[in-house]
Amino acid sequence: MQGQNISDIIEEYLKRILADTRQVEIKRSEIAQLFNCVPSQINYVINTRFTIQNGYIVRSKRGGGGYIRIAKVNLINDADVLDDLIDVIGDNISFSQAFQIIQSLFEDSVLTQKEANLILVAIDRRTLDFEDKRVENAIRARILISILNRLKYDG
């Protein structure tokens, strides 16, 4: 584990659990205690590593009996998840966020490696080389949403 930071270690731990089951329910304070870190570190990991773009849905309940439920979803088999993903993309998306989505689709075997690579080339920074990054991110979002809609109806 040399070279790994605490966030990477927590992410690995949760992903190992999710490898055996499609869903895990955790208590933030218990995980923080297990890794001897502050509970906000758990929030950071969940908010940045377990996103819809990465193929996860997170639900939480606050309070004394509160929990955080993380579920690995198959993006293509659930039209509602694809709609949520389209909502997250909105009017613009960075290349790194779009890359996460394409990687999740590839990992879920929705896209072949060749298809994923072709999409990545189409939405790459060098391909969409506009002086105004807002235009670049808007066009990338349109392309990605069109692809997701096609997958949703042709999948």
Side-chain angles (χ1 to χ4, degrees), residues 1-154:
M1 284 195 215
Q2 185 178 8
Q4 285 189 311
N5 64 37
I6 190 69
S7 295
D8 294 336
I9 294 167
I10 295 167
E11 175 187 16
E12 259 182 41
Y13 171 78
L14 293 172
K15 284 185 175 178
R16 273 197 314 269
I17 294 171
L18 285 163
D20 295 331
T21 178
R22 300 288 290 175
Q23 178 175 295
V24 64
E25 195 170 291
I26 62 169
K27 289 192 180 278
R28 186 176 69 138
S29 59
E30 290 175 4
I31 299 296
Q33 188 174 12
L34 178 66
F35 289 100
N36 196 27
C37 66
V38 295
S40 62
Q41 184 73 43
I42 307 305
N43 284 349
Y44 171 78
V45 170
I46 290 169
N47 291 335
T48 59
R49 316 277 176 102
F50 294 90
T51 63
I52 188 75
Q53 295 97 319
N54 291 328
Y56 298 94
I57 292 189
V58 177
R59 303 280 186 245
S60 62
K61 179 182 172 224
R62 299 196 183 272
Y67 60 83
I68 298 172
R69 184 176 298 138
I70 305 168
K72 176 76 174 143
V73 293
N74 186 325
L75 294 175
I76 198 64
N77 288 340
D78 190 340
D80 290 339
V81 172
L82 282 176
D83 287 337
D84 289 346
L85 194 51
I86 288 168
D87 288 343
V88 166
I89 294 168
D91 294 334
N92 66 75
I93 188 167
S94 70
F95 177 75
S96 60
Q97 293 168 320
F99 180 87
Q100 289 176 338
I101 292 169
I102 300 304
Q103 185 174 3
S104 292
L105 291 169
F106 170 70
E107 288 172 0
D108 280 351
S109 299
V110 174
L111 299 173
T112 65
Q113 184 172 358
K114 184 176 184 177
E115 292 166 336
N117 285 332
L118 288 171
I119 294 168
L120 290 173
V121 166
I123 64 173
D124 188 81
R125 292 179 190 102
R126 292 176 297 260
T127 304
L128 303 176
D129 188 21
F130 293 96
E131 295 211 13
D132 186 340
K133 292 299 172 196
R134 293 175 300 184
V135 171
E136 177 183 313
N137 290 343
I139 291 173
R140 183 178 294 113
R142 287 182 187 176
I143 292 169
L144 199 51
I145 287 171
S146 293
I147 290 167
L148 292 174
N149 278 322
R150 175 64 71 157
L151 288 173
K152 186 166 60 170
Y153 297 115
D154 285 352

